[in-house]
Amino acid sequence: MDLKDRFDQATSGGPSHPPLEERLHHGRRAAGRRTAGRALGGIVVAATVATGVATLSTGQEDRATDRPAPAVSSPTPAPALDIPVTASMENWEPEEWARMNPRTAELTVRRGVTATNMVDPAIRGFTSVALDLTRDGQRRYVLLVRRQGIVSVSWDAPAGRTLREFVADEQDPMDSLPIATVRGTLDASLPLVGYRDGELYTVGGAEIVRVVEDPIEGFCAPNATAAVELLHEGVTYFAVLGDGNCGSSFSKLGDVASLEAIVARRRANIDWAADAQGERQRKELEREVAEKREQSDRR
Amino acid sequence: MARARRHEAAFSDYVVASQDRLRRVAYALCGDWHLADDLLQEAFTKLYLAWPRLSADRDPDGYVRTTLVRTSIDAHRRRQRRVRTVALGAGQDPAAAADTPLEERDALITALQELPEQQRKVVVLRHWLGLSVRETAAELGINEGTVKSHSSRGLASLERVLAPQRHG
């Protein structure tokens, strides 16, 4: 059994959920607090913003602005790039210098950060930007990539590389794999095979013996999926995996008998999870209906 | 007003459909069902506030998951001093334990709680939920090298703890 299956089973069960009304009550109460806080703090906020604009307009570093950031579209590197600066310091992680909006791909940099070079797109086929940034005299390359609505960011010192060389170094496909697999007693210590963007990737030295495409109807839809048998250092491994974050199954010969066996096990787990989820939702709805009926009867 | 009602109806549908799977993530992170409920409630409360602007902007599952993993779970656990009473066997799913002995299921969660908090989060995101190195780094707001080192150390520690239990 692989680590994912172990997690699935170790986290099953648990006590009943609180009633939906209780969940909503917490939210409504927080919304009420927030509204009251805004009304009280309105004057203070306005004064703070005015001070902030005055400070920034002295032109110390960048063109700080709190207007919506326009999308970055320049395809060629250019010095002193006109990337909007986010004036607010709110919600920036300490090491975060640049950010891409996951929905619109709009790009902003933190106040005090200057961009001098850009590669856009950094990775063919993806909304992605590589930036050459400087902050407080420190220089850094940053790569922002949007995949399936999630923006990932990585960075490094230039270390004598061009910006494009940095992008190439960041593009080890095995790092992009959705999960690690089969090695060691936990069966999850080293990635051997993964599915990403329509391609199967393997580590060097792993040989794909057999691939069955889309072995389980509905698994990870609408992404492509595959069952894979591969050979690595004399050991046969099996995987059922998809081109998305759907969870994958891995095992090796001995723990399961064949590729067909791991596919059957995965199918059984999916069926069980769907049944269990459906049953819980059904009970939840029945209880809510009963509660509403009871309240209505009381009235 | 009608818009607020629509938001709340959509939020309610989402909560009912997602609370089970999201609480499992919280449970893996903290090892206690009731603390998991608290963590999930906090995340749902934040989601409730964000819902009107979130719907078109971002996947709600991702929002809740990010809230969960960016919460300081160990600090939260230390703050928790309440005494709870729970009905015996409440809500236990008999099908759930079919394949794995109870002690083995407990061992994984217990061993996970022994890991430093950030390692634990990396193991859950990467090796259970299947996020890539990049996605895990983005989710936790750390760099990819840190994800890799947390991942290998976390798995090695789990292996040390679980291997004797599995083979003993």
Side-chain angles (χ1 to χ4, degrees):
Chain A
M1 179 182 295
D2 65 33
L3 194 54
K4 179 187 156 31
D5 287 342
R6 286 166 162 267
F7 268 117
D8 284 345
Q9 298 210 352
T11 58
S12 59
S16 300
H17 290 281
L20 176 61
E21 191 54 33
E22 190 180 320
R23 299 260 194 234
L24 294 173
H25 172 71
H26 285 281
R28 290 182 194 129
R29 209 170 51 179
R33 280 198 302 271
R34 175 176 278 198
T35 306
R38 273 190 188 144
L40 289 170
I43 296 169
V44 176
V45 170
T48 307
V49 169
T51 308
V53 170
T55 306
L56 295 168
S57 66
T58 58
Q60 282 294 311
E61 286 169 317
D62 297 293
R63 302 140 306 280
T65 176
D66 54 4
R67 66 187 155 86
V72 174
S73 57
S74 170
T76 52
L81 299 172
D82 187 23
I83 296 174
V85 175
T86 302
S88 167
M89 297 301 284
E90 192 184 358
N91 295 331
W92 284 89
E93 296 293 328
E95 290 298 317
E96 191 183 14
W97 288 17
R99 147 183 313 178
M100 178 188 284
N101 183 309
R103 183 172 58 91
T104 62
E106 288 167 348
L107 194 68
T108 51
V109 295
R110 186 184 192 135
R111 183 167 60 185
V113 171
T114 306
T116 54
N117 196 1
M118 175 168 65
V119 178
D120 177 17
I123 305 165
R124 199 173 53 183
F126 288 101
T127 303
S128 54
V129 175
L131 294 165
D132 184 348
L133 301 176
T134 305
R135 183 188 184 204
D136 294 333
Q138 192 188 347
R139 193 166 160 225
R140 169 182 290 185
Y141 289 156
V142 174
L143 175 64
L144 297 133
V145 184
R146 184 177 68 173
R147 286 187 175 98
Q148 298 175 336
I150 296 174
V151 174
S152 66
V153 57
S154 58
W155 63 86
D156 205 353
R161 295 171 295 179
T162 66
L163 190 56
R164 285 185 186 277
E165 285 169 344
F166 157 73
V167 172
D169 288 346
E170 292 295 303
Q171 283 309 291
D172 179 354
M174 293 311 293
D175 286 349
S176 298
L177 296 181
I179 199 164
T181 180
V182 285
R183 195 87 183 276
T185 49
L186 265 183
D187 296 347
S189 306
L190 181 73
L192 292 180
V193 60
Y195 218 146
R196 183 61 89 189
D197 308 322
E199 296 282 341
L200 274 176
Y201 291 97
T202 59
V203 292
E207 178 195 342
I208 291 185
V209 178
R210 190 156 60 114
V211 177
V212 179
E213 289 180 1
D214 297 323
I216 303 169
E217 191 181 344
F219 169 52
C220 208
N223 299 296
T225 60
V228 184
E229 178 178 337
L230 69 161
L231 195 63
H232 181 65
E233 295 178 356
V235 180
T236 296
Y237 296 97
F238 305 110
V240 178
L241 67 171
D243 191 7
N245 291 328
C246 307
S248 308
S249 290
F250 303 96
S251 196
K252 60 187 167 192
L253 189 62
D255 293 343
V256 296
S258 64
L259 192 62
E260 286 69 24
I262 191 174
V263 169
R265 194 178 71 182
R266 181 70 189 169
R267 184 182 288 119
N269 279 348
I270 291 169
D271 291 346
W272 171 80
D275 289 348
Q277 175 86 353
E279 179 66 11
R280 283 194 199 96
Q281 285 181 14
R282 190 182 61 74
K283 284 181 184 166
E284 199 80 37
L285 287 170
E286 278 178 2
R287 201 177 60 203
E288 280 180 39
V289 169
E291 281 171 3
K292 280 181 182 160
R293 192 173 294 146
E294 199 178 318
Q295 285 170 358
S296 165
D297 288 348
R298 266 194 241 121
R299 283 192 209 113
Chain B
M1 207 59 181
R3 195 167 63 173
R5 272 201 301 275
R6 273 202 308 276
H7 282 318
E8 189 160 295
F11 176 82
S12 301
D13 289 345
Y14 170 74
V15 165
V16 170
S18 67
Q19 60 184 355
D20 196 65
R21 68 171 180 276
L22 291 169
R23 191 177 61 172
R24 293 169 72 159
V25 176
Y27 174 62
L29 293 171
C30 72
D32 177 292
W33 283 112
H34 300 296
L35 180 55
D37 255 335
D38 283 356
L39 290 167
L40 183 58
Q41 181 58 60
E42 282 188 20
F44 275 148
T45 299
K46 288 177 182 168
L47 180 68
Y48 183 94
L49 296 172
W51 189 265
R53 62 188 155 79
L54 184 86
S55 316
D57 184 45
R58 204 173 149 188
D59 163 37
D61 266 8
Y63 184 94
V64 173
R65 199 178 55 214
T66 303
T67 305
L68 287 174
V69 297
R70 291 201 176 182
T71 299
S72 176
I73 288 164
D74 290 347
H76 198 101
R77 183 185 283 134
R78 284 192 294 274
R79 283 199 302 272
Q80 197 189 41
R81 290 287 182 270
R82 279 173 288 172
V83 177
R84 296 169 180 278
T85 53
V86 187
L88 284 174
Q92 288 293 338
D93 181 350
D99 285 356
T100 313
L102 183 63
E103 59 273 18
E104 195 170 331
R105 294 194 292 137
D106 288 348
L108 175 61
I109 297 300
T110 304
L112 197 61
Q113 304 316 305
E114 299 296 317
L115 301 183
E117 185 169 337
Q118 203 75 322
Q119 275 184 27
R120 193 188 319 149
K121 289 172 177 175
V122 167
V123 168
V124 167
L125 289 175
R126 179 123 172 81
H127 299 289
W128 180 27
L129 302 182
L131 271 63
S132 69
V133 170
R134 288 177 195 283
E135 290 161 344
T136 304
E139 195 98 321
L140 293 171
I142 58 180
N143 73 39
E144 295 180 20
T146 309
V147 169
K148 290 176 191 173
S149 62
H150 280 326
S151 176
S152 61
R153 285 179 196 152
L155 283 176
S157 300
L158 279 185
E159 202 159 311
R160 272 198 301 277
V161 174
L162 292 180
Q165 189 265 340
R166 291 173 73 210
H167 299 296

